[in-house]
Each structure stands twice: as structure tokens, then as C-alpha cells.
Amino acid sequence: MGGLDAPIIPGEWQPVRACVVGAGPGGIVTAKVLLEHGFDVTVFDKYQRVGGIWSPGGCYDGLANQSARRIFEFADLPNRLHFAGAVDTQRYLEDYAETFGVLDRLRPGTEVISIRPVDGPGRVGASGWSVDSRAAGDEAAQVRRETFDYVVVASGAHHHVRLPDLPGRELFGGTVLHSNEVRAGTFAGRRVVVVGGGKSALDLVTRAGREAASATIVQRKVNWMVPERFLLGLVGYKWILFTRFGEALLPRYHDPACVRPIDRVNDRGKRALWWLITRDTLISTGLHRLPKELRPAHPLPFHLAHAGVMPRGYARAVRRGLIAANVSAVEAYTDQGLRLATGEEVAADVIVFATGHHKIFPFLDPDVQVHDPAGRIRLYRGIVPPGADRLGFVGFRQVFNNIMGVELTAHWLARHFRSALRTAPSEQEMQQGVDARLTWQERVLPGSGGYDFGPYDIHCADELMHDMGLPSRRAGNLLAEYLLPAGLAHRYAGLTGSNSATRRRRTRRPRARWAGGRVAGR
């Protein structure tokens, strides 16, 4: 397994075997990047088709993309998806995997059940990893054991459901589901209660308002939702949230190397601008027309990291009485439905818990520590565990434009595997970096679990670009650099194989273009 310290020059090292767990967006782009770096890649996925949560059965029926045009795309295959449905989103991901040779490396319908370090000298993982797999959903299936030099976990953050442990479950005779389990026809003609206050909860209760006999949402607090368009519906959200100027209004990023002069805007000026943005967000989402208790209690940017795009029709349905909204904790099941902390009882035939997911890895050797005692993910840069070699995670450094985030993570990880990053921090330095970042996240992004970087798309990109020794400035002039949407993948095209010579020339190979099921320009 030698030759791993060589620079990234194709043909100068022997291919080594890499396993990628998961064929969602993070898994397929990681496989594509590793293939370009000369790795011999195998991709495992429990679904029959690529896409992760976008695969058939991967999440709730009716799941739709929150991304406006030019956001949900990889750098090497632009598309024109605009708030697309799951079918079109999955089709794009599958075409991407086919275009770049990832489908040929995929083992669909295959579940990874164990990842263990191979015994040998040095740190955990230094001798590679043993991976056990079997046919998905069949515990009696034959287990296949293979050894890989490197492993990438890209299994996604939305598969291990979190359900509250409420008393009285035996009393309720209706249907209890997690949001992942909702399918077509689940709500038809039934009394539906959705518990939760995030994007999926609002999606599902809005749908229930159209299909069910009655629809109720129960949420402990009202979260902010982002409008599709700001400034009274005139300007798409990417022109506000995905620019360097927009990110400069956020609390300062934890990495001083990523702080530019614009990020040092006076706090009083920031508060004034956020007051205006808060008012506009209330108006643009329609929340201003709801009772005060059904609006967020704190002004932006409070909990902005947890915001999704407001589902069309939610606020109107609440106003018209098609959705009953309650702000309360849930205490117990009853024979009729749920009892709330307010003492009110809500009747239901179907209860849907849109209460999130556990970020866990049940297949991973328990001696490989990726969580702290509080359950927060402890990964350096949100990518690699400080105490293990040849192991990385993609998709657990989440930003608003996560498809761009996973692509940059894949490039960083490939260079980390090749020992080609600008710096190589020790395990102690990695641990210190994780500690500092978690402290910052608890202050600025409470409840992020060490995983969610929220609206810091560009700062997160800058951090990885600096580590790779690549320029973080991606536009030709200052106005474009600071005022145009920058948290977009196309600004980072052509990173594979970048070195000092290619950076000086700034040459780029022609890119394909996705045209709704076919690839043009290739």
C-alpha cells in the first residue's frame, strides 16, 4: 500500500482499494473524485438506485428539493433544476453517476454491516479496513468480507430515525409513523397530527391540509423558514444568503484564516440589517399574517442554521383553518391521540413524528470514536476522526448548499488520503481544532450536534480550499466576489489534479451540461 506520500500526478502510484458506503450525493461525488485520483473504488448502497434520500423509498413520499436554479448541481455537470421533485433530482444524480463511471463501481441493494480496522502496526486503520456486507434487508443472507485500504462513510444523516419515547403507546390504536415512512395515501380522509417544527414537518402538514380530514401541527417552538424570494418576493434567496456580503452579517467564523475585512462589519450595523431581514422574512414567508405565538420568538439570525425553505401554501392553510397549529411539547399518547403539555388533547388517526434523525454509524467498530459523550460528532474539519487513519466521512459537514459542501469535502478527503494537503496536523492538533470548533458551534449554532454549519457555505469552502493550497477567491473582480452568489459548485470546477502549475495557468477542461435526462457537451 505504498506510494501514498506522492504528489497528485496520475500514473506515479499503484491504485489502492477504496470503499464508499452510500450512493447518495456525497457518496457518488466522492467515488467520482477518488476515481479521478487513481483509486480503485467500490460503492455500496442498500437501495437499488443511487440518490440516498432521493431514491425510491429513501424518504417520505412527496419530498421536494429546496434548491433554486444553479444550487443543486455538481461543478462538472450543471443543470437547470429549480425546486425540483424527487424524481427529477434522483434522475440527475443517476446521470451524474453514469457520466463519471460511478455506476460501474456500484453494488446496489447491498448493506454494509461491519467496518473494522485490520490488525497491524501503527494507529487504528493504518493497515486498512475489513468491510462486511450482505444483501440489504436479509439478515439470513451470506456475508461477504473484503479488505480495503481506505473507507469513506457517506451513509447520510437522515436514515436512523429519532422517535420520542412517550408513555401510553399501548392506549393509542391508530397509526404512528416517522416522517420517513409517509407514503402516498397515508393521509387520505384521516385525522393527521404532525409533531415537529422543521422543514419536513411543515411539508407534511401542508400536504395533510389538502388530503386529510383534519391536519394539526404540534411544535415546541416555531422555527424560522426561508422564503423562496426575499425583498417582498422580488429577489431569490441565493442572492441574499449565498453571497460573501450576506455571510459577513453572520457571527464571525471560528477559523481566523477565513475571516476577511468584510466579516468585521460593526455589530450595531449587523443588528440593524438583521432587523430589516427579519421583517422581510416574516412578510415574504407569510408568517406576519399569523398570530404572534405562531411566529419565531427571536429575530434572525437566531437558529438560522435550522431553517428550511418555507413550503408553498403553509401560512395560507393556517390562516384559512385548514391546519391547526399548536406550540407545545407532547407529554403522552391517549386513546384518542396525544396529550400536550398545555393539557389539551389532540385527536388523531395518524401521528407523524418529524422529529429528526440520529447521526450514528451502527456498522462502525465501536473503538473508532466519532462522537463525544454529549453525542456530538467529533471529526476534524467535520471529515476525519483524529484517532484513526484511512477513514473519512462525507456529508457530516452540512451547510445550506450541501451538494457543493460534499463535493469540496470529497476533494479535501482525496488529498488527505494522498498526504497532499498543505498541512498535516497531528492527532493532538486535530483534537484541539475540534474542541475549538465545537465551542464556537455551541455559541453560534446551538443544537448543531457538531455536524451542522448552516449558512456558512462560503467560509466552510474557504477553509477547505486553504487546506488544499488552492485560492479561495473564485471570481474575476471584487464586485462579483462579494455580491454575486458564491456558495455554488460551479465556482469550484476543475479542482481534481490542481497543483501550482495548473493554478498559475487557471485552465479548465470543458464541462458537460445536464439537459433533463441527457448529458450534452461531452
Side-chain angles (χ1 to χ4, degrees), residues 395-407 451 457:
F396 299 93
R397 177 189 172 88
Q398 178 152 311
V399 291
F400 274 3
N401 187 11
N402 208 39
I403 196 165
M404 178 198 76
V406 296
E407 184 164 12
Y451 141 84
D457 296 77

Side-chain angles (χ1 to χ4, degrees), residues 95-115:
D95 284 353
Y96 179 87
E98 182 178 16
T99 300
F100 295 104
V102 175
L103 281 187
D104 296 335
R105 305 302 184 112
L106 176 66
R107 293 187 194 168
T110 305
E111 179 181 17
V112 170
I113 58 173
S114 173
I115 298 175

